[in-house]
Amino acid sequence: KAGVTQTPRYLIKTRGQQVTLSCSPISGHRSVSWYQQTPGQGLQFLFEYFSETQRNKGNFPGRFSGRQFSNSRSEMNVSTLELGDSALYLCASSLGGTSGYEQYFGPGTRLTVT
Amino acid sequence: GENVEQHPSTLSVQEGDSAVIKCTYSDSASNYFPWYKQELGKGPQLIIDIRSNVGEKKDQRIAVTLNKTAKHFSLHITETQPEDSAVYFCAAYGSSNTGKLIFGQGTTLQVKP
């Protein structure tokens, strides 16, 4: 079975721009969670989608948004980029539900904001 | 609020020795505790996990223990090898907080040959 894939792997953007990151979950997984990883704050939860619905959201500003498609693929968008948004963005997929807590991570997208 | 404390932040051992990493969680509703290994340039890899109805779980050289009363859980690696060198993260999950893992700050493990 193929693992979680994320595209692109690397991005360089300028302050004020917007960016869209993509995540393809493991086949059969319906839940996708997004995390931001930085040296200072560690791994922080952004949001989770299941069957195209956002079920949970972390403590991030409204500039961070996401969506999920009918094939479970997910995208996250960051608008009006700030220098502090530079981070590794990780998505994780799981079956969802009480029998599918295990989250499997992709390799991440390294975003640099200049 | 929700919090997971992880210690130590760095750990250096000789090849063949054991390594222990400890975590404490705050949310008593947490019922699932995974451990991840992250190598440079890669995403976190799930290496072992435990649910709240189990006290201990072992997979070859890796074991995890859980003390629900004290809200502690630990990762034990025996017979360490240089390829075990990586950053290890503990996490806690509560079924009422869907899809959200609360991570510890990470432990950088160095295994010296």
Side-chain angles (χ1 to χ4, degrees):
Chain A
K1 236 183 201 182
V4 178
T5 59
Q6 292 187 245
T7 56
R9 291 293 311 278
Y10 302 93
L11 266 178
I12 300 176
K13 291 286 187 179
T14 304
R15 270 183 304 173
Q17 289 186 315
Q18 72 154 14
V19 67
T20 299
L21 313 180
S22 181
C23 172
S24 292
I26 292 169
S27 178
H29 284 192
R30 296 168 64 190
S31 171
V32 173
S33 297
W34 288 89
Y35 296 85
Q36 181 195 65
Q37 185 174 26
T38 59
Q41 299 299 315
L43 281 148
Q44 292 190 292
F45 173 78
L46 282 156
F47 29 65
E48 187 255 3
Y49 287 87
F50 181 86
S51 293
E52 302 179 67
T53 300
Q54 186 183 89
R55 296 196 300 183
N56 203 356
K57 190 178 190 310
N59 190 25
F60 279 83
R63 300 185 297 107
F64 292 82
S65 63
R67 59 177 174 168
Q68 187 180 34
F69 302 95
S70 58
N71 62 357
S72 294
R73 189 177 70 85
S74 178
E75 290 180 346
M76 67 163 283
N77 184 277
V78 187
S79 62
T80 319
L81 285 166
E82 300 178 359
L83 294 177
D85 296 334
S86 295
L88 180 67
Y89 289 89
L90 293 156
C91 77
S93 79
S94 68
L95 287 169
T98 57
S99 61
Y101 290 160
E102 296 83 355
Q103 293 191 16
Y104 298 92
F105 282 83
T109 295
R110 172 73 62 185
L111 172 64
T112 302
V113 182
T114 61
Chain B
E2 310 154 329
N3 190 44
V4 174
E5 294 289 334
Q6 181 173 347
H7 298 282
S9 56
T10 60
L11 181 58
S12 182
V13 300
Q14 288 294 135
E15 182 177 359
D17 287 350
S18 295
V20 180
I21 303 170
K22 299 182 178 182
C23 290
T24 303
Y25 61 98
S26 61
D27 185 0
S28 57
S30 297
N31 60 352
Y32 171 67
F33 306 91
W35 286 87
Y36 288 88
K37 174 184 181 182
Q38 188 173 25
E39 296 173 300
L40 207 58
K42 297 184 178 181
Q45 175 195 0
L46 179 64
I47 57 172
I48 196 167
D49 55 12
I50 192 167
R51 296 206 176 205
S52 58
N53 58 348
V54 175
E56 184 173 358
K57 184 177 178 180
K58 189 174 182 180
D59 182 5
Q60 299 183 339
R61 296 186 297 108
I62 296 173
V64 57
T65 58
L66 171 66
N67 181 329
K68 281 176 55 181
T69 303
K71 297 183 188 173
H72 289 169
F73 59 114
S74 300
L75 177 71
H76 304 252
I77 306 174
T78 59
E79 300 171 23
T80 53
Q81 301 166 3
E83 52 265 39
D84 293 330
S85 297
V87 181
Y88 290 81
F89 292 95
C90 64
Y93 178 93
S95 58
S96 61
N97 216 346
T98 51
K100 180 179 181 179
L101 288 171
I102 308 296
F103 282 90
Q105 298 88 338
T107 296
T108 300
L109 173 64
Q110 181 186 29
V111 181
K112 299 177 182 176

